[in-house]
Amino acid sequence: MKLLEGKTAIITGAGRGIGQAIAKKFAEEGANLALTDLFISEDAEKFAEELNKTGIKVKYYKSDASNFEDCHTTIENILKDFDRIDILVNNAGITRDTLLMRMTEDMWDAVINVNLKSAFNMTKAVLKTMMKQRIGSIVNMSSVVGVSGNAGQANYSASKAGMIGLTKSTAKELGARNIRCNAIAPGFIETEMTAKLSEEVKTQWKKVIPLRRGGTPEDVANVTAFLGSDLSAYVSGQVINVCGGMNT
Ligand code: NAP
């Protein structure tokens, strides 16, 4: 039997990057997938079409994870198409990097809303279903800079530190209902998000990574599959670094 067979998973920000790699891994492991993204590209539609051919059910939903109402409507729509929700991966995220001196209120609000409020929105929206089922696994995408902080990323680091607090509180509040909640803290992962960093910054990052390479989206997807699956049935309230051994 495959690791996630019979489970239904929701992944936010699944149109590309880490979210799409998680969708691919979950599909390989037999999960049915409700994938959300702000914009659904043609590539994403093709990706879902291909996965549907493998015998699992996969559907994309256009949804703004930072918008409370939108998240609730999306979950209502997902529940019309799927009869249960076993796993929620709060993956959607953005950066608006600059030094505090130059950071505008809009840059702060956008990052906090997309990276942190989104997880509150989606968790609230799936809770009733998971509580009724008496089983659920929520995985929140944090970051190593949520623990260490990072110059030029005050908004991003704060949002990712918030994800850790949310994760630990959710785990404590919902453990009695057999709902687990864990966070993943990726280090430097090679996606469109990090592609926009300067070569100098990328080289600096790689120098401090003991494994001497950037991570791949698949490196993060593998750990997410473990946390979504029953293999991690006694793991909750934890932050797992996927960072090539970097100190945080
Ligand atoms: P990415 O390539 O930029 O992908 C981010 C995804 O989030 C995109 O599909 C994007 O959709 C979606 N998204 C943005 N705003 C959204 C919203 N309001 N509602 C729904 N979806 C939205 O980033 P990534 O590198 O894969 O990052 C995925 C997660 O891992 C993020 O939370 C990020 O902070 C975290 N992370 C990444 C790294 C890294 O090194 N890459 C390290 C630590 C943590 P559109 O394409 O429609 O814009």
Side-chain angles (χ1 to χ4, degrees), residues 150-225:
N150 196 22
Q153 287 197 307
N155 48 0
Y156 185 80
S157 306
S159 71
K160 295 302 186 182
M163 280 295 243
I164 294 174
L166 174 65
T167 299
K168 293 188 174 185
S169 304
T170 305
K172 287 189 171 162
E173 225 174 282
L174 297 167
R177 303 289 187 125
N178 198 27
I179 298 171
R180 300 183 291 111
C181 185
N182 293 287
I184 294 179
F188 179 85
I189 309 296
E190 293 186 354
T191 66
E192 280 182 44
M193 182 176 272
T194 45
K196 52 191 174 198
L197 296 172
S198 70
E199 281 311 312
E200 194 194 337
V201 171
K202 284 187 216 172
T203 310
Q204 283 302 329
W205 268 101
K206 286 179 191 171
K207 268 190 198 157
V208 296
I209 301 172
L211 288 179
R212 291 290 181 271
R213 66 168 176 92
T216 63
E218 290 71 29
D219 290 325
V220 181
N222 289 336
V223 178
T224 315

Side-chain angles (χ1 to χ4, degrees), residues 11 40 48 80 90 95 161 167 182 188 196 207-208 227 232:
I11 304 163
I40 317 289
K80 284 178 197 154
N90 287 312
T95 52
T167 299
N182 293 287
F188 179 85
K196 52 191 174 198
K207 268 190 198 157
V208 296
L227 289 176
S232 60

